[in-house]
Amino acid sequence: MSIGAAFYALDRYRLRALVIDPSTVSGFLHSPAAQGGPHDSQTVEQAWDVVRTLMPEAVDGEELDGTDGLGCIYLTAAHVERAAARLAQHDVAELVGRFTGEPAKFDELYWAKVWRDGAQDLAEFMEGVKRFFAGAASRRDAVVFYIV
């Protein structure tokens, strides 16, 4: 079994309830938007460790203990707006080039070799993260990064 992760956009006021009761995070994330679940999501699958290393702004929030996941970080709407602005400045091709061009520097990351060989897929995930944060910021959403 492998470890994967995704970003989830949610109403900024709903975030408080998840922080108060972290045991509800998993159930909430799997609820449809029509039933009050996340507005949007962006998977990064097994590239989660590479993405959070190359794009630290995307996980520049607070850790949330007590969930069913292997890790959970939340970003308030204000964090999301700042992260989106910084992520918009990134050149994904340059980040992926740095990752593939300096393998020894990134070898300790989860599935690093797979993502070096699949650099195009990695770039697509990273572009997706940029779009996801731009959309979340425009809605003033909070974001949860959930690792399972």
Side-chain angles (χ1 to χ4, degrees), residues 23-89:
S23 68
T24 64
V25 169
S26 181
F28 169 77
L29 296 178
H30 293 97
S31 299
Q35 295 176 352
H39 300 149
D40 193 12
S41 64
Q42 171 63 49
T43 186
V44 287
E45 297 180 6
Q46 291 78 19
W48 61 271
D49 203 17
V50 176
V51 169
R52 75 178 183 170
T53 299
L54 296 176
M55 302 174 110
E57 302 86 354
V59 293
D60 187 18
E62 301 294 327
E63 289 189 31
L64 184 59
D65 295 325
T67 70
D68 293 338
L70 298 174
C72 184
I73 297 171
Y74 69 89
L75 292 84
T76 65
H79 281 111
V80 171
E81 288 178 343
R82 286 191 298 272
R86 292 186 309 211
L87 288 167
Q89 310 264 332

Side-chain angles (χ1 to χ4, degrees), residues 119-142:
Q120 182 58 42
D121 292 332
L122 175 62
E124 289 172 15
F125 280 139
M126 294 172 73
E127 289 291 353
V129 169
K130 287 176 65 171
R131 285 189 304 274
F132 169 83
F133 268 86
S138 72
R139 292 185 303 272
R140 299 258 315 126
D141 281 347

